[in-house]
């Protein structure tokens, strides 16, 4: 996400000056993307901002916000798949072809890598997210935040969807016990068996 006033071809630095992305050799940037926005208008604005960022040719990766609405996630991933197909259809020499290639993931997206944050569910996490959720994080009160068992099931479903689309998951949870690490490994093992 970014300013609605930028044209997608400039990058502002800390001094307030803008750099032209087309003139920067081998620049590799990543963009944030939140497919979990509740309002259709907000999602359309988010999609438009991401489309402009990808069109610069410098976007090598996309990082998904944390969320739990599986339908909105699939909609967002289908949008990313559409962007990927659009990049593939560009004629040779188009500016998007000049960007550094994304890591080869074997499946999924060919013109950019996609990463997704998620939590390792715990009672402490659920209490914290109910009381003071992280900015931009969209965990559903009627599902994920309902109970620890529901949060675990949503996490399994998220990992399945990420596997189906070739998205690299990133657990953003503090691990302080061996049992937490074992639980995380079990989630990943289960997801890899289903993919």
């Amino acid at each position: 996400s970014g300013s609605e006033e930028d044209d997608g071809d400039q990058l502002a630095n800390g001094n307030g000056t803008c750099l032209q992305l087309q003139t920067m050799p081998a620049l590799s940037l990543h963009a944030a993307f939140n497919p979990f926005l509740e309002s259709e208008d907000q999602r359309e604005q988010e999609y438009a901002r991401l489309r402009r960022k990808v069109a610069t040719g410098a976007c090598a990766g996309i990082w998904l916000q944390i969320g739990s609405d599986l339908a909105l996630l699939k909609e967002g991933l289908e949008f990313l798949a559409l962007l990927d197909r659009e990049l593939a259809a560009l004629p040779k020499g188009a500016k998007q072809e000049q960007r550094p290639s994304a890591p080869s993931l074997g499946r999924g997206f060919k013109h950019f890598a996609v990463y997704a944050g998620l939590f390792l569910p715990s009672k402490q996490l659920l209490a914290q997210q109910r009381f003071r959720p992280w900015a931009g994080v969209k965990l559903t009160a009627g599902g994920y935040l309902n109970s620890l068992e529901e949060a675990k099931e949503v996490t399994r479903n998220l990992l399945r969807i990420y596997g189906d689309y070739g998205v690299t998951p990133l657990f953003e949870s503090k691990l302080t016990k061996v049992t937490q690490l074992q639980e995380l490994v079990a989630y990943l093992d289960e997801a890899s068996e289903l993919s």
Side-chain angles (χ1 to χ4, degrees):
S1 46
S3 166
E4 293 182 33
E5 292 157 22
D6 71 55
D7 65 6
D9 290 336
Q10 297 179 342
L11 177 68
N13 67 17
N15 298 327
T17 58
C18 291
L19 306 171
Q20 293 298 115
L21 292 179
Q22 292 83 5
T23 64
M24 302 178 80
L27 180 65
S28 176
L29 299 175
H30 290 218
F33 175 57
N34 189 345
F36 301 105
L37 296 171
E38 295 164 2
S39 150
E40 187 172 343
D41 285 344
Q42 288 177 323
R43 284 194 309 277
E44 289 302 321
Q45 289 173 10
E46 183 78 349
Y47 288 9
R49 283 190 296 266
L50 183 63
R51 184 181 292 281
R52 287 193 308 269
K53 290 174 184 179
V54 169
T56 66
C59 188
I62 297 169
W63 290 77
L64 303 180
Q65 179 60 277
I66 296 173
S68 63
D69 186 316
L70 302 178
L72 289 178
L73 173 62
K74 287 179 184 179
E75 180 183 312
L77 289 170
E78 284 300 319
F79 172 74
L80 294 180
L82 173 66
L83 280 180
D84 196 48
R85 288 190 302 274
E86 288 173 357
L87 288 173
L90 287 174
K92 295 283 185 207
K95 72 178 179 179
Q96 286 84 351
E97 293 292 327
Q98 302 303 315
R99 65 163 240 13
S101 17
S104 174
L105 302 174
R107 64 173 176 205
F109 305 96
K110 297 193 181 354
H111 294 86
F112 43 76
V114 180
Y115 306 92
L118 70 160
F119 292 125
L120 183 63
S122 69
K123 289 180 182 179
Q124 180 182 2
L125 170 81
L126 295 180
Q128 187 267 326
Q129 289 296 316
R130 283 184 201 118
F131 178 68
R132 191 176 294 239
W134 290 4
V137 170
K138 303 289 184 185
L139 300 175
T140 54
Y144 193 98
L145 295 175
N146 233 20
S147 71
L148 184 56
E149 285 311 310
E150 287 188 56
K152 288 179 178 184
E153 184 59 28
V154 169
T155 300
R156 285 185 202 92
N157 288 328
L158 288 167
L159 285 168
R160 284 185 199 112
I161 293 168
Y162 295 152
D164 290 345
Y165 283 87
V167 174
T168 302
L170 172 67
F171 278 90
E172 298 188 36
S173 296
K174 183 175 162 180
L175 302 178
T176 58
K177 301 175 186 169
V178 171
T179 55
Q180 292 170 316
L181 180 59
Q182 291 168 334
E183 187 177 355
L184 185 142
V185 169
Y187 276 114
L188 295 174
D189 285 347
E190 182 182 340
S192 68
E193 289 171 9
L194 297 171
S195 297

